[in-house]
């Protein structure tokens, strides 16, 4: 089983896919956009890191081992016997009404009040991103993202030939003043800014959450500048400390397109996510969905609908929270015990990821082969920037391995970093990091 | 349950979606391509035609009532108990190896020899179309299609801002001489022709099949002109008369991209189709798939894989063939008994559709409201042309209703057409059909 959130270092943007163009009869026939598609975005983790002896802190696969498989199997069996000819048939391009109603209940957990008419089902939340970009972005339009931001979103935005501008974060997430500055500056240059893409909860990869007041400030800037916001919230219900915060969409209905997913709160294999959008935008999304797939996976929608109706899904989410809390705690404990001085990291209150800043002179991308040799894997930070920045950072995930493996992973990683630092000391630091254009390029990490 | 193959006349391209732009805050923000998206392509049939008293000869929903639901339910229950944590997890962007191997067996039924490495799984065959267009087509590139061609493909090509050129058909399908002429002429004008999209078996909507020799001729033209072919084959195994013909892909591997689907041979609700492509193209398709959805529906793939492994799927297809033969025969009998003089139609040897040419002066689009009032529905012919041609034609489908209902539908339709002819006789023919630019615009129908 491969992991789409992971990262294949043999396919970096700089060389991605170009090596075999000599053999490609069609190299001159591809669309412009195809040259922007690189495998760095989302690709199975290099095979060696999938070997059982390697502790992978790289992947973003949710841990679904605790799902009640017996019950799910029985539910689907009964559902097929009862209604098979309907749930295996074509469905609505917008998605089935039944699950759109239930999704409104799910979103109510984050204080969103929505009408099922405004929900469009997608083949996973990634397709929501794809369709939103499709309907809004012409080549060279600007999309704003956090610095750093989700690698899969960057890949999609690039594939539509957009320009990606990063907006600085601090320890409360996206910086509203930086946002105002970036938008104003881009518009002064005559650029068309199409939307801000933000992950308010447990940012992937930064592990930082916008407090409620910060969300209001960002919405105020959006209001002042007439800016559309795409709020991506796959992890919102997976809080570890405290209760879910109100979604941006709960505070503002007309300016926010909200992306949701069952991949982390139930299971990703059904590929069911959704977009909640202002009504006129929703119409365009349905047209785009019909053109893309006719209709999103029908059987999957009924399967999840049945699960939501017949199983204590809130209880399942509480169970997930406890399980991820144990892993998050192991990660933080392991980092405290094992990271060499000068290393800092964020303290996530939910979600899957910790963002690590390495000591001066240590390059996460260059170090990766040595880390894998030492049987630990991570995602180098530059994957989460569109502009080559980030090599002093890395993303560590605690979602999948056991707590013991997580601690062992940080121990191995600590040794690899310490080795790098010793090599730098002996041979001199070869600090060739490219500088980032933003004043505050990465999140201000929580020093630990 | 709505039907994505059907057609909503209230949303024709000429007015589609424009009526509410006044209320759309984002009307100036959409991408150029969004203005090309219209609901005509694939949209639920107008609600009135879904009323039980209406005989719908409009839809393209396969009849899956005969599926062994008890067995399918049990198989999936066992599969989940056995392997749930894997089949509900993220999967490969290319699709699971296991089903790609089985797909090679399925394609062998049409004499295709392929390697699972060259197969990419898609969220239904429609997504195959979307991804192929995405990687090949820039705005204003030309895509060639049969005259008429699949409405859903036309919609996708338009949404990528391509120019669509129709190529004439005769009673053996796409005319190779016309193809040569059109390509040469377009290239003389400096246009970039990206590929020919063709449905060799039981063309949707024309119901015409290319004989083996015709396929070779078309491939020869493609070879001479260095033209890529996209072979769409959702119905190939659903032959009614005789055995499946060899696919174009079985005769030529480097110049043909083949689209396959389980929607008609098993069930559409799982949304599993595939693309078989030359190796270099396959690489691009996987990148596009990862950007679009991370990975195609994982659970669906394992579900179908289990069905293929544990059920006599060839026997199921034989059963489908017999069921559709009975319906096709009812349709042809009904047309023979009920169509007014001057009406002609094709004789499909498989698939779902008959293409009807109406008597001079009868306009299928204008007639539709009267037909629905008379409790029969069809798809007007102009849906299958990118250029407004086709209003003297209609597509009738025999896939879903019972044989008795099909015959009753043709009876009602015959009366409506006869009424139209009488009105024309009394008030004079208002023949405002636009003329088509191609010398042989539609298929040469089999006069019956």
């Amino acid at each position: 089983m491969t992991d789409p959130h992971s990262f294949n270092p043999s396919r970096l943007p700089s060389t991605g896919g170009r090596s075999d163009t000599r053999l490609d009869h069609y190299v001159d026939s591809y669309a412009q956009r195809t040259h922007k598609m690189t495998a760095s975005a989302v690709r199975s983790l290099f095979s060696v890191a999938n070997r059982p002896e390697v502790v992978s802190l790289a992947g973003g696969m949710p841990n679904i081992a605790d799902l009640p498989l017996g019950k799910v199997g029985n539910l689907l069996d009964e559902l097929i016997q009862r209604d098979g000819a309907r749930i295996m048939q074509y469905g609505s391009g917008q998605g089935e009404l039944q699950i759109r109603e239930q999704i409104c209940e799910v979103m109510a957990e984050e204080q969103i009040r929505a009408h099922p008419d405004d929900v469009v089902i997608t083949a996973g939340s990634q397709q929501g991103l794809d369709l939103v970009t499709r309907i809004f972005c012409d080549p060279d339009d600007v999309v704003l993202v956090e610095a750093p931001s989700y690698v899969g979103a960057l890949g999609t935005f690039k594939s539509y030939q957009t320009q990606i501008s990063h907006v600085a974060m601090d320890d409360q997430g996206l910086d509203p003043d930086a946002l105002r500055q970036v938008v104003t500056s881009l518009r002064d240059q005559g650029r068309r800014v199409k939307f801000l893409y933000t992950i308010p909860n447990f940012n992937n990869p930064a592990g930082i959450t916008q407090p409620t007041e910060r969300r209001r400030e960002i919405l105020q800037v959006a209001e002042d500048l007439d800016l559309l916001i795409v709020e991506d919230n796959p992890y919102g219900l997976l809080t570890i400390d405290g209760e879910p915060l109100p979604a941006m969409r709960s505070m503002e209905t007309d300016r926010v397109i909200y992306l949701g997913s069952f991949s982390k709160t139930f299971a990703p294999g059904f590929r069911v996510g959704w977009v909640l959008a202002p009504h006129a935008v929703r119409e365009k999304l349905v047209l785009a969905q019909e053109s893309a797939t006719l209709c999103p996976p029908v059987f999957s929608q009924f399967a999840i609908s049945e699960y939501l109706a017949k199983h204590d899904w809130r209880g399942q989410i509480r169970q997930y929270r406890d399980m991820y809390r144990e892993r998050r705690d192991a990660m933080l404990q392991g980092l405290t015990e094992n990271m060499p001085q000068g290393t800092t990291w964020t303290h996530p209150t939910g979600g899957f990821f910790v963002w690590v800043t390495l000591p001066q002179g240590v390059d996460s991308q260059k170090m990766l082969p040595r880390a894998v040799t030492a049987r630990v894997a991570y995602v180098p930070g530059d994957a989460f920037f569109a502009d080559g920045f980030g090599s002093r950072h890395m993303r560590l995930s605690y979602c999948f391995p056991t707590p013991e493996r997580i601690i062992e992973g940080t121990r191995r990683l600590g040794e690899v970093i310490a080795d790098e630092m010793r090599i730098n000391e002996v041979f001199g630091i070869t600090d060739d990091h490219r500088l980032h254009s933003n004043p505050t390029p990465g999140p201000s990490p929580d020093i630990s």
Side-chain angles (χ1 to χ4, degrees), chain A residues 84-229:
Chain A
R86 185 164 77 106
I87 65 176
M88 292 197 263
Q89 189 51 271
Y90 285 110
S92 149
Q94 182 172 359
E96 303 308 312
L97 176 59
Q98 176 178 324
I99 194 169
R100 287 188 280 113
E101 287 169 347
Q102 292 166 308
I103 282 170
C104 290
E105 284 175 49
V106 172
M107 292 192 293
E109 301 279 312
E110 295 177 279
Q111 304 181 30
I112 292 173
R113 294 177 60 177
H115 195 282
D117 266 5
D118 295 332
V119 175
V120 181
I121 305 295
T122 54
S125 189
Q126 182 76 20
Q127 204 213 6
L129 264 175
D130 185 78
L131 297 181
V132 168
T133 315
R134 184 188 295 226
I135 67 167
F136 279 106
C137 294
D138 285 310
D140 297 323
D141 282 350
V142 178
V143 173
L144 305 174
V145 304
E146 279 136 353
S149 185
Y150 168 49
V151 57
L154 300 182
T156 297
F157 300 150
K158 278 185 207 166
S159 81
Y160 282 93
Q161 302 164 268
T162 66
Q163 299 295 325
I164 298 172
S165 279
H166 286 283
V167 180
M169 301 172 79
D170 59 23
D171 56 7
Q172 303 205 335
L174 186 89
D175 178 345
D177 293 330
L179 174 64
R180 193 184 297 270
Q181 221 171 38
V182 170
V183 174
T184 307
S185 154
L186 284 164
R187 287 187 177 160
D188 285 349
Q189 296 162 43
R191 311 300 301 277
R192 275 167 74 89
V193 178
K194 283 301 172 74
F195 55 77
L196 164 69
Y197 168 75
T198 179
I199 308 165
N201 291 310
F202 330 124
N203 174 282
N204 175 0
I208 288 175
T209 297
Q210 295 165 9
T212 305
E213 186 49 31
R214 175 60 60 91
R215 297 174 194 218
R216 286 194 217 286
E217 289 164 14
I218 294 167
L219 286 166
Q220 186 59 53
V221 175
E223 177 74 26
D224 295 346
L225 301 178
D226 193 13
L227 184 67
L228 179 64
I229 293 180

Side-chain angles (χ1 to χ4, degrees), chain A residues 56-86:
Chain A
S56 178
L57 306 175
M61 291 202 300
N63 181 344
I64 58 171
D66 293 340
L67 280 179
L69 296 181
K71 185 162 184 190
V72 173
N74 288 336
L75 284 177
L76 295 197
D77 186 6
E78 281 165 33
L79 176 66
I80 291 168
Q81 318 271 357
R82 190 175 78 233
D83 215 6
R86 185 164 77 106

